[in-house]
Structure formats: structure tokens, C-alpha cells
Amino acid sequence: VAMELEDSLYPLLREVSIGVDPFEVFQDAKWALLIGAKPRGPGMERADLLDINGQIFAAQGKALNAVASRNVKVMVVGNPCNTNALICMKNAPNIPAKNFHALTRLDENRAKCQVPDFLNARINGLTVKEVIKDIKWLEEEFTEKVQKRGGALIQKWGRSSAASTAVSIVDGIRSLVTPTPEGDWFSSGVYTNGNPYGIAEDIVFSMPCTSKGDGDYELVKDVIIDDYLRKRIKKTEAELLAEKRCVAHLTGEGIAVCDLPEDTMLPGEM
């Protein structure tokens, strides 16, 4: 991969260095894209996957905390990315919590290839619900297709998405280093403390963000949330709080207790 990157003659790529010691690899890093994580295998319990991957991101958090730039921006891609981002953040107390992101842009892109956010988007100046009258499709088929797209990909070719994930990482970074157009926003999994939506604090949750292009972000406050969306948010919140309890031993918050509400194994992983 390194040889192909060099041979592609990317104008912004100066050097590819390879190493196994995160205390060397992350030295003075300004951006860290944490992509590697163990995929879930047949019969593996979700709690076991959380523990195995959590240990990876605890170690990377410690290394970032020790040697990276004090303002390093961290994008966690390895799943379950929300909880992995929280573990990484908790193990890097000297780096601002606001600098940690979980990649949720791929879900945004998967949704937009069907239809954009149907509560807040406009089609020729009209709300999506005024144009698309099939509310059952919007609330059931649309949502389910986005949720199961990753599993559908695994079923098609036996492994997780690669190219579209890479594009979504680039999109996520571009949104942080490019001023957000007026009236627009982007999705990123960020720390919930102080959020305006009533989402539980001290977890990482996907929220609408804008940026001035300086690598930082602000949360969008004037977003419509109806009863259907509130119900979906609460379900995801419960799952993330359960995952947080399951990795308490990796975040310095005591003994882990795993009471995961349900199995979220993707169809292609069964």
C-alpha cells in the first residue's frame, strides 16, 4: 500500500513511514485517523468485541496523550466507533475532548444516496415530506436500508466497505477544514457534554455540526426533531450507554458490567 501511495504521486503526500510502536508513529501528529479494529467473527459476542477493540483504542489514546500535538484531531473509524472514540478520549486526558470524532459520515453518505435528512431538507423549497408522501417508506424502508447497508456489503463480497469508508473519512476531514456553507451542516460523532438535544452526557453521539474551517466545530441548534426521530435517538442512546458500562474497565470508571440491550450483529456477520 505504501509503495502504491508513493507511485500515485499525490501532490500533498511527502512521505509514508511504517511502524508498530504508537509512541513513535503518533509523535507530534496533528491528525490521527484510527482505522484498524478487529472485525466481528462468527459466534463472537458483542461484549467480547467491545473488550478486544477497546484495548486497542485505550492503548492508542495513551500514546496520543503522551506524544501527539496538544491539539491533535482524532477520527475513530474502527467499529464500534462511538464507544471506541470514547475509550480513546478517556485515555487521553491532556487532549481536548472536543478533538475526538467517531466516523458517522458514511451513514450520512449512505442516506444521501437515497434521500437527504427528510425532516430538515428541502426539495425545490418544499420539505421532503411535502414532496415524498410515502411516510412509511421514509420512516421504515429508508432507515432500515441505511442501517443494514454495511451488512449487505459484507454479504456481497465477504468483507466490510473500504472505498466508500475512505471517501467518508475524506469528507469528514474536509468538512472540518472547510467553512460550512450557510444553512448546511455535516454529521460527526462527537462528545455530548453540553449538547442542546437532551442526549445523555459523557458519550460520543452523531450530531449535526458546522465548522469555520479551522478544524473545530459547533453544534447546530435549530434542528427539527419529531417523535419518530426522538424515539430512534433514545434507542441509540440506550445502546451507547450500555456499551459504556461494558467498557468501564477501559475508561477508568470502575468494574465493567455488560447488560447490552440487544445484539446488533449485521446480517453479513452472522
Side-chain angles (χ1 to χ4, degrees):
V1 171
M3 292 166 70
E4 286 214 277
L5 286 169
E6 292 167 343
D7 294 346
S8 296
L9 204 63
Y10 290 110
L12 298 179
L13 180 63
R14 186 166 54 199
E15 178 187 3
V16 179
S17 59
I18 300 171
V20 295
D21 182 355
F23 288 89
E24 292 180 7
V25 174
F26 291 143
Q27 184 69 48
D28 300 324
K30 294 180 179 177
W31 286 87
L33 311 179
L34 307 186
I35 298 168
K38 180 180 176 63
R40 185 168 176 170
M44 183 182 288
E45 293 292 333
R46 189 158 148 237
D48 295 334
L49 183 69
L50 276 166
D51 182 59
I52 292 168
N53 278 334
Q55 292 180 50
I56 295 171
F57 290 91
Q60 292 185 327
K62 290 184 172 87
L64 287 164
N65 195 61
V67 301
S69 162
R70 295 302 80 185
N71 197 37
V72 61
K73 311 293 185 187
V74 183
M75 180 81 74
V76 176
V77 180
N79 278 318
C81 64
N82 295 59
T83 298
N84 286 339
L86 183 70
I87 292 168
C88 188
M89 184 193 77
K90 292 289 187 179
N91 283 276
N94 297 332
I95 298 170
K98 198 176 181 183
N99 288 20
F100 289 82
H101 295 260
L103 184 75
T104 56
R105 185 58 168 267
L106 181 55
D107 286 321
E108 177 182 321
N109 288 354
R110 284 170 172 169
K112 284 181 174 176
C113 80
Q114 295 186 82
V115 64
D117 169 18
F118 58 83
L119 281 180
N120 296 278
R122 297 287 184 272
I123 298 174
N124 292 331
L126 300 173
T127 64
V128 172
K129 282 188 172 183
E130 288 178 273
V131 179
I132 301 176
K133 303 294 185 181
D134 190 350
I135 303 304
K136 187 176 186 291
W137 178 84
L138 284 170
E139 293 188 349
E140 294 180 17
E141 291 181 44
F142 164 71
T143 302
E144 187 174 313
K145 187 169 183 178
V146 175
Q147 282 181 318
K148 295 183 176 179
R149 184 71 165 182
L153 260 162
I154 293 172
Q155 285 183 315
K156 281 284 186 185
W157 71 333
R159 54 195 171 103
S160 299
S161 58
S164 57
T165 301
V167 168
S168 67
I169 295 168
V170 173
D171 287 344
I173 296 170
R174 185 186 292 117
S175 291
L176 289 167
V177 299
T178 307
T180 308
E182 185 69 29
D184 199 2
W185 64 67
F186 59 92
S187 303
S188 194
V190 295
Y191 197 43
T192 53
N193 280 17
N195 78 86
Y197 307 115
I199 296 168
E201 301 219 326
D202 205 32
I203 56 175
V204 172
F205 202 97
S206 184
M207 289 189 275
C209 306
T210 61
S211 178
K212 296 176 182 176
D214 56 0
D216 204 351
Y217 67 90
E218 296 296 332
L219 297 180
V220 181
K221 296 181 174 63
D222 55 345
V223 174
I224 301 168
I225 299 179
D226 65 1
D227 291 341
Y228 167 77
L229 184 54
R230 178 67 63 189
K231 182 180 177 182
R232 306 295 303 191
I233 286 173
K234 285 298 176 185
K235 184 175 185 292
T236 301
E237 179 187 86
E239 290 174 356
L240 291 174
L241 287 170
E243 287 186 1
K244 181 186 174 185
R245 292 190 292 271
C246 204
V247 298
H249 60 302
L250 298 172
T251 59
E253 297 176 15
I255 299 171
V257 178
C258 277
D259 57 345
L260 300 174
E262 64 179 76
D263 198 320
T264 57
M265 185 180 287
L266 296 169
E269 297 173 320
M270 294 180 183

